[in-house]
Amino acid sequence: MYSINIIQPDDWHIHLRDENTLKMTVPLAEAAFGRVLAMPNLTPPLTTVQSVLDYRSRILANTRNPHFTPYFALYFNEQLTADTLQEAKTCPWILGVKWYPRGATTHSDWGVEDISQHFEHLALMEELKLPLLIHGEVTDSTVDIFEREPRFIETVLMPLQQRFPKLPIVLEHITTLDAVQWIQNMPAHIAATVTAHHLAFNRNHLLAGGLKPDYYCLPVLKQAAHQYSLQQAVMTSGQTQFFLGTDSAPHTRDKKYNSCGCAGCFTTPVALALLAELFFENQALSLLEAFCSINGARFYQLPLNTQHLRLTQQDWVVPEHYQISGLTFVPLLAGQTLAWQYHIAENVHHE
Ligand code: NCD
Ligand code: ZN
């Protein structure tokens, strides 16, 4: 039975949702991660520093682990002001501003459609070194859904990066070889998050042998060749611009299993187990720590976590569902047996 200790991981892209759902999402997150970057696509979205501080209090009311630290991104919206950006920069809990092109994904209706209308904000963010976090897909309905990320990189991201060369950027939840290659050609202040599910699965898991709504997310799962390019990027040493953001995005069962099902994979309970299995199978377990626990902290200029997590090769069965306040959420891989378990190992020295 194999086991390893790694510096406690962080999740630099998570949807904790709000209100009673926090009673489920926060304990699951803090059982695995030292820090999370909670996304702002709530209803209404987090558009002011005060709204972030209020949300932070609601999250902290549900924590048990005093080490657990949630961070945030503001929602880039049409009403964004220079004052808000300045204030965000001074708030220790805000790490960036998230741009959802309007219509790109769940709760993106308040997003900015045409970023060129807001170049003065990007110029200020570049000056402040306040990262822009991007959902990188074009929203043109005539563009094939599997091509929306490459098209975004080509038509929106490249010109934007050339115009603001010092702006820190995180291209979130990348899914394609095009994204991997673009990041690899960029300097260190440009990085990407990668999810566990985009590493472990491809579009066959979603579509072959029956439509499986639990695997439906945006950006949608891609061909196996793209999946392998992501795997190669994170399982090669020195690729510090790639780090874990699970994009765990729970939706209630009735909203997922629906004739117009919501996008989002609920992965917090399984993400680290999936990653441990994948890295182990590829003889790359020694690179898991950089991807989960080091690269992201370095990018955001935060110290590494002092706690450690023990990963052990031991079977467990993923719960069929989680229930909270009358709501039912089905995790990815519900009912399946996974090969790795984890628990926080306090005061364990790094091996
Ligand atoms: C996310 C959600 O449900 O909030 N959905 C998803 O498919 N990933 C939004 C997002 O990050 O795109
Ligand atoms: Zn997300």
Side-chain angles (χ1 to χ4, degrees):
M1 187 174 75
Y2 288 88
S3 78
I4 56 159
N5 290 326
I6 60 170
I7 297 170
Q8 189 173 21
D10 300 309
D11 183 352
W12 298 112
H13 183 135
I14 191 171
H15 299 270
L16 294 174
R17 310 305 191 201
D18 207 349
E19 300 172 347
N20 283 336
T21 305
L22 294 173
K23 293 182 193 159
M24 172 193 75
T25 54
V26 174
L28 285 172
E30 69 181 352
F33 302 107
R35 295 168 291 204
V36 296
L37 204 170
M39 287 293 138
N41 61 336
L42 307 179
T43 316
L46 303 178
T47 55
T48 63
V49 173
Q50 189 57 50
S51 69
V52 167
L53 296 178
D54 294 344
Y55 184 42
R56 177 172 177 267
S57 305
R58 298 198 292 279
I59 291 170
L60 292 182
N62 290 285
T63 58
R64 276 164 243 167
N65 178 351
H67 295 281
F68 180 72
T69 310
Y71 288 94
F72 303 89
L74 276 183
Y75 194 111
F76 203 124
N77 68 102
E78 301 286 354
Q79 279 75 44
L80 185 66
T81 65
D83 284 351
T84 301
L85 290 173
Q86 300 271 9
E87 198 187 346
K89 181 66 189 179
T90 64
C91 174
W93 315 119
I94 296 180
L95 298 182
V97 186
K98 176 76 187 276
W99 175 36
Y100 295 97
R102 189 182 308 154
T105 187
T106 310
H107 300 151
S108 61
D109 317 358
W110 295 272
V112 163
E113 193 172 353
D114 179 4
I115 200 78
S116 69
Q117 303 297 309
H118 300 267
F119 276 167
E120 80 280 7
H121 292 329
L122 297 186
L124 178 58
M125 288 169 66
E126 184 178 39
E127 191 187 315
L128 296 172
K129 301 217 178 311
L130 184 61
L132 177 68
L133 283 42
I134 302 179
H135 183 110
E137 290 191 287
V138 293
T139 53
D140 179 346
S141 61
T142 65
V143 176
D144 186 275
I145 192 162
F146 293 100
E147 294 301 324
R148 289 183 188 181
E149 182 177 280
R151 188 70 67 87
F152 182 88
I153 293 169
E154 196 186 316
T155 62
V156 183
L157 195 50
M158 286 178 172
L160 188 152
Q161 194 279 327
Q162 277 157 18
R163 194 175 187 108
F164 304 100
K166 299 204 168 110
L167 176 67
I169 294 174
V170 183
L171 186 55
E172 300 289 340
H173 41 52
I174 59 166
T175 59
T176 58
L177 171 64
D178 313 64
V180 168
Q181 289 179 338
W182 185 73
I183 295 289
Q184 285 171 333
N185 286 320
M186 285 290 124
H189 64 279
I190 294 182
T193 54
V194 190
T195 76
H197 53 286
H198 288 107
L199 285 166
F201 304 117
N202 58 58
R203 66 189 188 185
N204 276 10
H205 294 90
L206 169 69
L207 296 169
L211 177 66
K212 300 181 203 68
D214 295 336
Y215 288 83
Y216 175 58
C217 67
L218 290 170
V220 73
L221 290 167
K222 302 295 192 297
Q223 300 91 310
H226 288 297
Q227 177 199 1
Y228 296 140
S229 74
L230 300 179
Q231 292 182 359
Q232 274 196 326
V234 305
M235 291 190 230
T236 303
S237 96
Q239 296 281 318
T240 57
Q241 286 153 278
F242 299 93
F243 49 83
L244 176 62
T246 66
D247 194 20
S248 181
H251 290 276
T252 54
R253 181 163 58 188
D254 54 316
K255 291 207 169 121
K256 288 288 293 175
Y257 300 3
N258 186 298
S259 61
C260 185
C262 285
C265 298
F266 176 28
T267 60
T268 308
V270 300
L272 288 180
L274 263 183
L275 289 170
E277 189 160 350
L278 185 69
F279 278 64
F280 178 76
E281 282 171 357
N282 286 278
Q283 284 92 40
L285 211 45
S286 64
L287 298 170
L288 186 64
E289 183 177 58
F291 175 62
C292 297
S293 318
I294 298 176
N295 297 346
R298 294 261 154 82
F299 177 85
Y300 284 116
Q301 298 176 356
L302 295 167
L304 302 183
N305 289 320
T306 52
Q307 289 196 311
H308 287 76
L309 197 81
R310 187 160 192 81
L311 288 153
T312 309
Q313 201 180 34
Q314 203 164 45
D315 284 357
W316 64 288
V317 179
V318 181
E320 293 289 350
H321 53 247
Y322 292 83
Q323 270 169 327
I324 195 79
S325 306
L327 303 174
T328 301
F329 298 89
V330 179
L332 191 61
L333 302 168
Q336 296 191 36
T337 301
L338 297 188
W340 288 80
Q341 298 189 19
Y342 55 84
H343 62 266
I344 294 172
E346 242 171 304
N347 300 324
V348 175
H349 290 290
H350 182 45
E351 287 165 0

